[in-house]
Amino acid sequence: MSVWEERWHPLREEWVVVAAHRQNRPWIGETVARRREPLPGYVADCTFCPGNRRVSGKLNDAYTRTFVFDNDLPCVGEGAPEAAPTAADCFRSRPARGIARVVCYSPRHDTTLAELPRDDVAHLIEVWQQQYRDLGERPGIEHVLIFENKGEVVGVSNPHPHCQIYATNFVFKTIETEARLSARHLHETGRVLFQDLLEAERADGRRILFENATAIAFVPYFARYAYEVYVAPKATRPSVAALSATEVSDFAAALSHVLVKFDNLWRLPFPYVMPLHQAPTDGGDYRAFHFHVEFHPPLRQPDLLKYLAGPEVGGGNFLSDTSPEEKAAELRALPDVHYTRT
Ligand SMILES: [Zn+2]
Ligand SMILES: [Zn+2]
């Protein structure tokens, strides 16, 4: 199944060059012995473990499930200094205002989102709902970006399972683009763009990984990364906060399913960047915005990074060496039970 074509990414308004005809021999898997060294459940100098002291000197709660705290080294904060005056009209600056937080998924240092019980994943989604509401309602906060970076290859130094929240005085570019294109599509066609995508993916069927009553997971037709996956509610909800209790539970099932597949792929904790794409909180009309989680995995094979180079960094469009249909088929063929439990 060789694909050599350009595919249109309707949520980014750009072409993705799929050049899977020249990819290396597919990974066969025998030599994937690189197991993670077992971690202890508690680490005395981990700044995220319960009861420990953080860099600010504050003590973590003796928490038993999730734990949310303001980031001690925030990239945006209410205490950011006034911006320096600029020398030219084309140079603009302003204070880096906002709120940066950390959400620990579990008191256990040695677990991951993929290994959390379904109920705990659902609980985490409820925490995301509270955070989106709490932060999004504040004056000056235009967007709440919730994301997890997982794995050393995406720069994570502390493996304690956690995600981050950047509540900012601007809307991140990808969200701004998705919101603009979704609004335009609704205006032009009367339909929600993401619903058109879901309909097309379900009609094709080859890239669907999971489906229950209210949630769905799939490798998008226009995937830019190998093993890129979207997880979404079937009904259009502008943010995670708009999910009903049933939708939260179904969404947790879809997330867990995908995460287990990822880890089972190479029988190691699968690294990724996982943003929640949610409507801005700047008071705009986001009826057409369809909340979803995106997984951007940096690895094509266990030891092979997808380098962002000339086309991506230099030109701004992605060149993908893998076929989305093939990658979806690989994930679909894997067991549903996490490898550590078999
Ligand atoms: Zn820890
Ligand atoms: Zn998105």
Side-chain angles (χ1 to χ4, degrees), residues 40-43 45-50 52 63 106-110 158-161:
Y42 168 81
V43 173
D45 62 356
C46 169
T47 50
F48 297 162
C49 276
N52 286 1
Y63 64 99
S106 164
R108 289 201 66 96
H109 187 85
D110 61 348
N158 188 343
H160 195 115

Coordinates of all heavy atoms in Angstrom, one line a residue, residues 40-43 45-50 52 63 106-110 158-161, ligand 1:
P40 N 10.4 3.6 40.5 CA 9.7 3.5 41.8 C 8.4 4.2 41.8 O 8.2 5.2 41.1 CB 10.7 4.1 42.8 CG 11.6 4.9 42.0 CD 11.6 4.5 40.6
G41 N 7.5 3.8 42.7 CA 6.2 4.5 42.8 C 6.3 5.8 43.4 O 5.4 6.7 43.2
Y42 N 7.4 6.1 44.2 CA 7.6 7.4 44.8 C 9.0 7.7 44.7 O 9.9 6.9 45.0 CB 7.1 7.3 46.3 CG 7.6 8.5 47.1 CD1 6.9 9.7 47.0 CD2 8.7 8.5 47.9 CE1 7.3 10.9 47.7 CE2 9.2 9.6 48.6 CZ 8.5 10.8 48.5 OH 8.9 11.9 49.2
V43 N 9.3 9.0 44.4 CA 10.7 9.4 44.3 C 10.9 10.7 45.2 O 10.2 11.7 45.0 CB 11.1 9.7 42.8 CG1 12.5 10.4 42.7 CG2 11.0 8.5 42.0
D45 N 13.0 13.0 45.5 CA 13.4 14.4 44.9 C 12.5 14.7 43.7 O 12.9 15.7 43.0 CB 14.9 14.5 44.7 CG 15.4 13.5 43.6 OD1 14.5 12.7 43.2 OD2 16.5 13.6 43.3
C46 N 11.4 14.0 43.5 CA 10.5 14.4 42.4 C 9.7 15.5 42.8 O 9.0 15.5 43.9 CB 9.6 13.2 42.0 SG 8.3 13.7 40.9
T47 N 9.6 16.6 42.0 CA 8.9 17.8 42.4 C 7.4 17.6 42.3 O 6.6 18.5 42.7 CB 9.3 19.0 41.6 OG1 9.3 18.7 40.2 CG2 10.7 19.4 42.0
F48 N 6.9 16.5 41.7 CA 5.5 16.2 41.5 C 5.0 15.1 42.4 O 3.7 15.0 42.5 CB 5.2 15.7 40.0 CG 5.6 16.8 39.0 CD1 5.7 16.4 37.7 CD2 5.7 18.1 39.3 CE1 6.0 17.3 36.7 CE2 6.0 19.1 38.3 CZ 6.2 18.7 37.0
C49 N 5.8 14.4 43.1 CA 5.3 13.3 44.0 C 4.6 14.0 45.2 O 5.0 15.1 45.6 CB 6.4 12.4 44.4 SG 6.8 11.1 43.2
P50 N 3.6 13.3 45.8 CA 2.8 13.8 46.9 C 3.7 14.2 48.1 O 4.7 13.4 48.4 CB 1.9 12.7 47.3 CG 1.8 11.8 46.1 CD 3.1 11.9 45.4
N52 N 6.0 16.3 48.4 CA 7.4 16.8 48.2 C 7.4 18.3 48.0 O 6.4 18.9 47.7 CB 7.9 16.1 46.9 CG 8.3 14.7 47.1 OD1 8.1 14.1 48.2 ND2 8.8 14.0 46.1
Y63 N -1.7 14.2 47.9 CA -2.9 13.9 47.1 C -2.9 12.4 46.8 O -1.9 11.7 46.8 CB -2.8 14.7 45.8 CG -1.7 14.5 44.8 CD1 -1.9 13.6 43.7 CD2 -0.4 15.0 45.0 CE1 -0.8 13.4 42.8 CE2 0.6 14.8 44.1 CZ 0.4 14.0 43.0 OH 1.4 13.8 42.2
S106 N -1.6 11.3 38.7 CA -1.7 10.2 39.7 C -0.6 10.5 40.8 O 0.4 11.1 40.4 CB -1.4 8.9 39.0 OG -1.1 7.9 39.9
P107 N -0.8 10.0 42.0 CA 0.2 10.2 43.0 C 1.4 9.2 42.6 O 2.5 9.4 43.1 CB -0.4 9.7 44.3 CG -1.6 9.0 43.9 CD -2.1 9.5 42.6
R108 N 1.2 8.2 41.8 CA 2.2 7.3 41.5 C 3.2 7.8 40.5 O 2.8 8.2 39.4 CB 1.6 6.0 41.0 CG 0.9 5.2 42.1 CD 0.8 3.7 41.7 NE 2.1 3.1 41.6 CZ 2.6 2.4 42.6 NH1 2.0 2.2 43.7 NH2 3.8 1.8 42.5
H109 N 4.4 7.8 40.8 CA 5.5 8.3 39.9 C 5.7 7.3 38.7 O 6.1 7.8 37.7 CB 6.8 8.3 40.7 CG 7.9 9.0 40.0 ND1 8.1 10.4 40.0 CD2 8.9 8.5 39.3 CE1 9.2 10.6 39.3 NE2 9.7 9.5 38.8
D110 N 5.3 6.1 38.9 CA 5.7 5.0 37.9 C 4.5 4.6 37.0 O 4.6 3.5 36.4 CB 6.2 3.8 38.7 CG 5.1 3.2 39.6 OD1 4.1 3.9 39.8 OD2 5.3 2.1 40.1
N158 N 10.9 14.9 33.6 CA 10.4 14.2 34.8 C 9.2 13.3 34.3 O 8.2 13.7 33.8 CB 9.8 15.2 35.8 CG 9.3 14.5 37.1 OD1 9.1 13.3 37.1 ND2 9.2 15.3 38.1
P159 N 9.4 11.9 34.5 CA 8.4 11.0 34.0 C 7.1 10.9 34.8 O 6.2 10.3 34.4 CB 9.1 9.7 34.0 CG 10.1 9.8 35.1 CD 10.5 11.2 35.1
H160 N 7.1 11.6 35.9 CA 5.9 11.6 36.7 C 4.7 12.0 35.8 O 4.8 13.1 35.2 CB 6.0 12.5 37.9 CG 4.9 12.3 39.0 ND1 5.2 11.8 40.2 CD2 3.6 12.4 38.9 CE1 4.1 11.7 40.9 NE2 3.1 12.0 40.1
P161 N 3.6 11.2 35.7 CA 2.6 11.5 34.7 C 1.9 12.8 35.0 O 1.3 13.0 36.1 CB 1.7 10.3 34.9 CG 1.9 9.8 36.2 CD 3.3 10.0 36.5
Ligands
ZN1 ZN 7.0 11.7 41.1

